[in-house]
């Protein structure tokens, strides 16, 4: 798998989180690859694990901090959600 394929797959797996969060995650992981250098993409992928695993971790962490993702009902200007 190439860096490009990895990042595309990760992006697709994160379509169900907010655009802002998704962009932040993608910038972070793209920078991670860039910092490692083009010759080390395979090492980065081995270190990170599968895009599915990374996406699950991100979503899990967001559920712990985002009431919309955790299923909690919260009051907003338009009522309970």
């Amino acid at each position: 798998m190439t860096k490009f394929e990895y990042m595309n797959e990760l992006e697709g797996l994160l379509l169900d989180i907010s655009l802002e969060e998704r962009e932040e995650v993608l910038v972070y992981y793209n920078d991670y690859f860039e910092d490692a250098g083009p010759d080390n993409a395979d090492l980065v992928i081995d270190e990170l694990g599968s895009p599915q695993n990374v996406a699950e971790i991100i979503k899990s962490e967001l559920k712990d901090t985002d009431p919309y993702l955790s299923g909690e009902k919260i009051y907003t200007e338009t009522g309970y959600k």
Side-chain angles (χ1 to χ4, degrees):
M1 175 177 283
T2 66
K3 170 193 167 191
F4 180 76
E5 292 168 330
Y6 190 96
M7 293 300 294
N8 276 341
E9 189 169 338
L10 181 59
E11 182 176 11
L13 293 165
L14 296 175
L15 289 176
D16 57 343
I17 66 173
S18 73
L19 178 60
E20 183 180 309
E21 292 286 351
R22 186 169 57 250
E23 287 177 348
E24 187 177 319
V25 166
L26 294 174
V27 166
Y28 174 84
Y29 284 99
N30 190 59
D31 289 347
Y32 197 87
F33 275 100
E34 293 299 316
D35 289 346
D39 296 333
N40 294 316
D42 289 339
L43 295 174
V44 171
I45 291 169
D46 286 343
E47 182 180 321
L48 294 175
S50 71
Q52 295 86 355
N53 187 51
V54 171
E56 287 177 21
I57 292 168
I58 291 164
K59 290 176 187 181
S60 174
E61 289 175 359
L62 288 174
K63 277 185 179 180
D64 291 341
T65 60
D66 187 339
Y68 288 106
L69 294 174
S70 68
E72 277 183 48
K73 298 233 182 229
I74 61 169
Y75 186 76
T76 66
E77 292 177 0
T78 58
Y80 279 99
K81 294 189 180 208

